[in-house]
mmCIF file of all heavy atoms in Angstrom:
data_model
loop_
_atom_site.group_PDB
_atom_site.id
_atom_site.type_symbol
_atom_site.label_atom_id
_atom_site.label_comp_id
_atom_site.label_asym_id
_atom_site.label_seq_id
_atom_site.Cartn_x
_atom_site.Cartn_y
_atom_site.Cartn_z
ATOM 1 N N LEU Z 306 87.647 70.534 123.672
ATOM 2 C CA LEU Z 306 88.594 71.552 124.306
ATOM 3 C C LEU Z 306 89.278 72.299 123.332
ATOM 4 O O LEU Z 306 89.618 73.432 123.554
ATOM 5 C CB LEU Z 306 89.599 70.685 125.268
ATOM 6 C CG LEU Z 306 90.436 71.505 126.192
ATOM 7 C CD1 LEU Z 306 89.722 72.327 127.111
ATOM 8 C CD2 LEU Z 306 91.475 70.681 126.818
ATOM 9 N N TYR Z 307 89.712 71.584 122.158
ATOM 10 C CA TYR Z 307 90.446 72.393 121.091
ATOM 11 C C TYR Z 307 89.570 72.001 119.685
ATOM 12 O O TYR Z 307 89.050 70.977 119.552
ATOM 13 C CB TYR Z 307 91.812 71.804 120.967
ATOM 14 C CG TYR Z 307 92.628 71.918 122.320
ATOM 15 C CD1 TYR Z 307 92.860 70.728 122.929
ATOM 16 C CD2 TYR Z 307 92.974 73.038 122.781
ATOM 17 C CE1 TYR Z 307 93.456 70.705 124.155
ATOM 18 C CE2 TYR Z 307 93.653 73.080 124.084
ATOM 19 C CZ TYR Z 307 93.941 71.944 124.672
ATOM 20 O OH TYR Z 307 94.647 71.989 125.944
ATOM 21 N N ASN Z 308 89.666 73.041 118.916
ATOM 22 C CA ASN Z 308 89.219 72.939 117.503
ATOM 23 C C ASN Z 308 90.181 72.336 116.646
ATOM 24 O O ASN Z 308 90.653 73.102 115.856
ATOM 25 C CB ASN Z 308 88.725 74.340 117.168
ATOM 26 C CG ASN Z 308 87.836 74.208 115.865
ATOM 27 O OD1 ASN Z 308 87.395 73.153 115.551
ATOM 28 N ND2 ASN Z 308 87.824 75.354 115.056
ATOM 29 N N SER Z 309 90.367 71.045 116.753
ATOM 30 C CA SER Z 309 91.400 70.426 115.861
ATOM 31 C C SER Z 309 90.858 69.968 114.537
ATOM 32 O O SER Z 309 89.876 69.324 114.421
ATOM 33 C CB SER Z 309 91.915 69.209 116.680
ATOM 34 O OG SER Z 309 92.687 68.345 115.768
ATOM 35 N N PRO Z 310 91.505 70.343 113.432
ATOM 36 C CA PRO Z 310 91.097 69.935 112.182
ATOM 37 C C PRO Z 310 91.893 68.655 111.668
ATOM 38 O O PRO Z 310 91.786 68.229 110.571
ATOM 39 C CB PRO Z 310 91.491 71.099 111.206
ATOM 40 C CG PRO Z 310 92.723 71.558 111.778
ATOM 41 C CD PRO Z 310 92.522 71.387 113.410
ATOM 42 N N THR Z 311 92.714 68.017 112.571
ATOM 43 C CA THR Z 311 93.528 66.844 112.205
ATOM 44 C C THR Z 311 93.079 65.652 112.994
ATOM 45 O O THR Z 311 91.751 65.567 113.310
ATOM 46 C CB THR Z 311 94.947 67.275 112.678
ATOM 47 O OG1 THR Z 311 95.018 67.418 114.099
ATOM 48 C CG2 THR Z 311 95.382 68.399 111.938
ATOM 49 N N ASN Z 312 93.994 64.658 113.063
ATOM 50 C CA ASN Z 312 93.385 63.270 113.564
ATOM 51 C C ASN Z 312 93.349 63.156 114.993
ATOM 52 O O ASN Z 312 92.988 62.065 115.456
ATOM 53 C CB ASN Z 312 94.509 62.268 113.022
ATOM 54 C CG ASN Z 312 95.851 62.420 113.828
ATOM 55 O OD1 ASN Z 312 96.411 63.434 114.026
ATOM 56 N ND2 ASN Z 312 96.363 61.102 114.085
ATOM 57 N N GLN Z 313 93.589 64.246 115.830
ATOM 58 C CA GLN Z 313 93.400 64.124 117.204
ATOM 59 C C GLN Z 313 92.213 64.999 117.623
ATOM 60 O O GLN Z 313 92.160 66.085 117.265
ATOM 61 C CB GLN Z 313 94.610 64.670 117.932
ATOM 62 C CG GLN Z 313 95.839 63.904 117.733
ATOM 63 C CD GLN Z 313 97.008 64.435 118.532
ATOM 64 O OE1 GLN Z 313 97.330 64.093 119.650
ATOM 65 N NE2 GLN Z 313 97.845 65.399 117.913
ATOM 66 N N GLN Z 314 91.342 64.529 118.435
ATOM 67 C CA GLN Z 314 90.153 65.056 119.000
ATOM 68 C C GLN Z 314 90.107 65.113 120.438
ATOM 69 O O GLN Z 314 90.410 63.952 120.997
ATOM 70 C CB GLN Z 314 88.984 64.569 118.218
ATOM 71 C CG GLN Z 314 88.880 64.726 116.794
ATOM 72 C CD GLN Z 314 88.967 66.136 116.243
ATOM 73 O OE1 GLN Z 314 88.395 67.082 116.855
ATOM 74 N NE2 GLN Z 314 89.638 66.393 115.153
ATOM 75 N N PHE Z 315 89.649 66.197 121.106
ATOM 76 C CA PHE Z 315 89.704 66.281 122.546
ATOM 77 C C PHE Z 315 88.254 66.645 123.163
ATOM 78 O O PHE Z 315 88.130 67.743 123.686
ATOM 79 C CB PHE Z 315 90.713 67.304 123.028
ATOM 80 C CG PHE Z 315 92.147 66.966 122.514
ATOM 81 C CD1 PHE Z 315 92.536 67.341 121.262
ATOM 82 C CD2 PHE Z 315 92.901 66.263 123.255
ATOM 83 C CE1 PHE Z 315 93.891 67.031 120.924
ATOM 84 C CE2 PHE Z 315 94.210 65.934 122.970
ATOM 85 C CZ PHE Z 315 94.829 66.331 121.606
ATOM 86 N N PRO Z 316 87.424 65.677 123.178
ATOM 87 C CA PRO Z 316 86.119 65.922 123.738
ATOM 88 C C PRO Z 316 86.121 65.887 125.359
ATOM 89 O O PRO Z 316 87.006 65.302 125.841
ATOM 90 C CB PRO Z 316 85.213 64.823 123.271
ATOM 91 C CG PRO Z 316 86.239 63.655 123.054
ATOM 92 C CD PRO Z 316 87.462 64.356 122.607
ATOM 93 N N ILE Z 317 85.249 66.658 125.834
ATOM 94 C CA ILE Z 317 85.046 66.808 127.237
ATOM 95 C C ILE Z 317 83.733 65.943 127.809
ATOM 96 O O ILE Z 317 82.690 66.332 127.308
ATOM 97 C CB ILE Z 317 84.918 68.220 127.778
ATOM 98 C CG1 ILE Z 317 86.127 69.070 127.242
ATOM 99 C CG2 ILE Z 317 84.823 68.240 129.323
ATOM 100 C CD1 ILE Z 317 85.974 70.497 127.453
ATOM 101 N N LEU Z 318 83.888 64.932 128.504
ATOM 102 C CA LEU Z 318 82.802 64.107 128.920
ATOM 103 C C LEU Z 318 82.670 63.920 130.350
ATOM 104 O O LEU Z 318 83.657 63.958 131.103
ATOM 105 C CB LEU Z 318 83.013 62.752 128.294
ATOM 106 C CG LEU Z 318 83.083 62.530 126.833
ATOM 107 C CD1 LEU Z 318 83.484 61.067 126.429
ATOM 108 C CD2 LEU Z 318 81.990 63.063 125.919
ATOM 109 N N PRO Z 319 81.452 63.803 130.894
ATOM 110 C CA PRO Z 319 81.192 63.357 132.186
ATOM 111 C C PRO Z 319 81.963 62.178 132.568
ATOM 112 O O PRO Z 319 82.062 61.211 131.654
ATOM 113 C CB PRO Z 319 79.711 63.184 132.317
ATOM 114 C CG PRO Z 319 79.138 64.059 131.204
ATOM 115 C CD PRO Z 319 80.129 63.914 130.067
ATOM 116 N N ASN Z 320 82.543 61.982 133.741
ATOM 117 C CA ASN Z 320 83.333 60.883 134.136
ATOM 118 C C ASN Z 320 82.688 59.501 133.876
ATOM 119 O O ASN Z 320 83.299 58.503 133.411
ATOM 120 C CB ASN Z 320 83.848 61.066 135.454
ATOM 121 C CG ASN Z 320 84.668 62.209 135.868
ATOM 122 O OD1 ASN Z 320 85.380 62.682 134.950
ATOM 123 N ND2 ASN Z 320 84.837 62.617 137.047
ATOM 124 N N GLU Z 321 81.473 59.510 134.203
ATOM 125 C CA GLU Z 321 80.676 58.222 134.141
ATOM 126 C C GLU Z 321 80.567 57.734 132.597
ATOM 127 O O GLU Z 321 80.489 56.473 132.305
ATOM 128 C CB GLU Z 321 79.201 58.272 134.759
ATOM 129 C CG GLU Z 321 78.354 59.221 134.137
ATOM 130 C CD GLU Z 321 78.356 60.574 134.769
ATOM 131 O OE1 GLU Z 321 79.535 60.914 135.411
ATOM 132 O OE2 GLU Z 321 77.455 61.458 134.474
ATOM 133 N N MET Z 322 80.525 58.770 131.659
ATOM 134 C CA MET Z 322 80.382 58.437 130.278
ATOM 135 C C MET Z 322 81.728 57.921 129.710
ATOM 136 O O MET Z 322 81.876 57.149 128.895
ATOM 137 C CB MET Z 322 79.839 59.621 129.498
ATOM 138 C CG MET Z 322 78.385 59.930 129.833
ATOM 139 S SD MET Z 322 77.638 61.134 128.740
ATOM 140 C CE MET Z 322 75.962 61.272 129.475
ATOM 141 N N VAL Z 323 82.764 58.500 130.253
ATOM 142 C CA VAL Z 323 84.163 58.069 129.912
ATOM 143 C C VAL Z 323 84.307 56.592 130.318
ATOM 144 O O VAL Z 323 84.794 55.802 129.446
ATOM 145 C CB VAL Z 323 85.203 58.836 130.512
ATOM 146 C CG1 VAL Z 323 86.640 58.295 130.316
ATOM 147 C CG2 VAL Z 323 85.224 60.279 130.090
#
Side-chain angles (χ1 to χ4, degrees):
L306 188 60
Y307 307 108
N308 185 24
S309 166
T311 59
N312 72 313
Q313 300 181 88
Q314 300 300 323
F315 298 86
I317 304 171
L318 300 178
N320 295 336
E321 64 272 16
M322 293 187 179
V323 174

